[in-house]
Amino acid sequence: MSWYRKAADQGCSVAQYNLGFMYANGFDFEQAVTWYSKAAEQGDSKAQYDLGFMYYNGNAVAKDYKQAAIWYGKSAVQGDVDAQFDLGVMYANGEGVTKDAKQAVVWYRKAAEQGRSAAQVNLGVMYANGVGVAKDYNRAVTWYSKAADQGSSVAQYNLGLMYNNGQGVAKNDKQAAIWYEKSADQGDAYAQFKLGVMYATGLGVAIDYKQAVTWYSKAAD
C-alpha cells in the first residue's frame, strides 16, 4: 500500500482509485471516499462509479441520491456498464433525478448492448409493457433471450411467459416449459409454480401429477 500511497500523493488517479478500493475492502469507508473523490475528480470512471455507490448507500457519507446520480452519470458517459445500469435504475425509480422512463431506457440500452444481463431484462420489460418506449413484444423477446442465454432466471421466466402467451413469438408451450424449467432450476418461485401448472395440465409436457406437486411444493417454500 505504501507505493500506492506515494503515487496517490503525487496525483496519480489510478493509484488514488486503487488506494480507495483497498480501503473500501478493509471497511475503512472514510478513507475510501477520500481517495475515490480525488480520483473521480480527475475523471477516473471506476472511481466515479464507486463514489456514486458510496453516496447511494451512505457509506461514510450521508446517503445522497442526487450525488450518487451525478457521479454515476459522469462514469456512465465514459462507458462504465455498472454506472449505466444503475443510472437507468435511478431514472426508472426517480431516485436523485426526476423519474423519466425514456432516460431509463437510454441507459438500460447502453448497458444491455455491453452485455449486462440485468439491463437486458429491464429493457425487455420496458418493451413488453410499453414504458418509455412503444410496446414491442418482438424486441422484448430479443432482449429476454440475450439475458436468458446468459443464465438470468428472471429472463428465462419472462421468456417462458412470452412463449406461453404467444407474445413476440409463435405460441409454443414446449418452449415455454423449457424456459420455465431453466428458471425453476435456479429457484425462481414464479417459474416453479408455472412449471407445476404445465405438468398438471399437460401443456408442453406430458401430464405428471407427481412433478406438478414437486414444483408446486418448491414454489410454496
Side-chain angles (χ1 to χ4, degrees):
M1 183 179 288
S2 62
W3 287 107
Y4 281 134
R5 183 58 185 261
K6 289 180 180 179
D9 284 337
Q10 292 179 42
C12 174
S13 63
V14 174
Q16 290 168 343
Y17 168 73
N18 287 337
L19 194 56
F21 184 79
M22 293 172 77
Y23 275 119
N25 283 345
F27 299 101
D28 187 340
F29 295 129
E30 289 186 6
Q31 283 292 318
V33 167
T34 295
W35 292 107
Y36 282 156
S37 297
K38 291 179 182 293
E41 287 165 1
Q42 292 198 68
D44 187 287
S45 64
K46 290 182 180 179
Q48 290 168 341
Y49 172 74
D50 284 352
L51 184 58
F53 186 84
M54 303 293 269
Y55 276 111
Y56 188 87
N57 292 287
N59 292 330
V61 289
K63 185 176 286 190
D64 188 331
Y65 289 146
K66 287 185 178 180
Q67 281 295 312
I70 288 169
W71 288 109
Y72 284 160
K74 290 179 183 292
S75 180
V77 296
Q78 293 196 68
D80 185 278
V81 67
D82 293 324
Q84 291 170 343
F85 173 71
D86 286 356
L87 190 58
V89 171
M90 296 190 81
Y91 273 112
N93 297 331
E95 295 176 323
V97 291
T98 301
K99 191 171 184 176
D100 188 332
K102 289 184 178 179
Q103 278 297 306
V105 167
V106 167
W107 292 108
Y108 283 154
R109 188 187 309 281
K110 290 181 183 293
E113 288 172 349
Q114 290 201 67
R116 179 69 180 268
S117 64
Q120 293 167 344
V121 172
N122 288 6
L123 188 56
V125 169
M126 304 294 265
Y127 274 115
N129 294 289
V131 178
V133 288
K135 185 178 286 188
D136 189 329
Y137 291 136
N138 290 330
R139 291 191 178 186
V141 167
T142 295
W143 288 110
Y144 286 156
S145 297
K146 290 179 183 292
D149 287 340
Q150 291 194 67
S152 166
S153 63
V154 175
Q156 290 165 347
Y157 169 70
N158 288 350
L159 192 55
L161 282 177
M162 302 300 272
Y163 276 110
N164 220 166
N165 298 326
Q167 294 173 320
V169 287
K171 183 175 172 62
N172 188 325
D173 290 330
K174 287 185 178 180
Q175 279 296 311
I178 287 170
W179 288 109
Y180 285 152
E181 186 165 10
K182 288 179 183 290
S183 180
D185 283 340
Q186 293 196 66
D188 187 289
Y190 292 106
Q192 291 168 342
F193 175 76
K194 282 287 191 179
L195 191 56
V197 171
M198 305 292 270
Y199 276 113
T201 57
L203 287 173
V205 291
I207 288 179
D208 187 329
Y209 295 125
K210 287 184 179 180
Q211 281 292 315
V213 169
T214 294
W215 288 110
Y216 284 151
S217 296
K218 288 180 182 289
D221 289 339

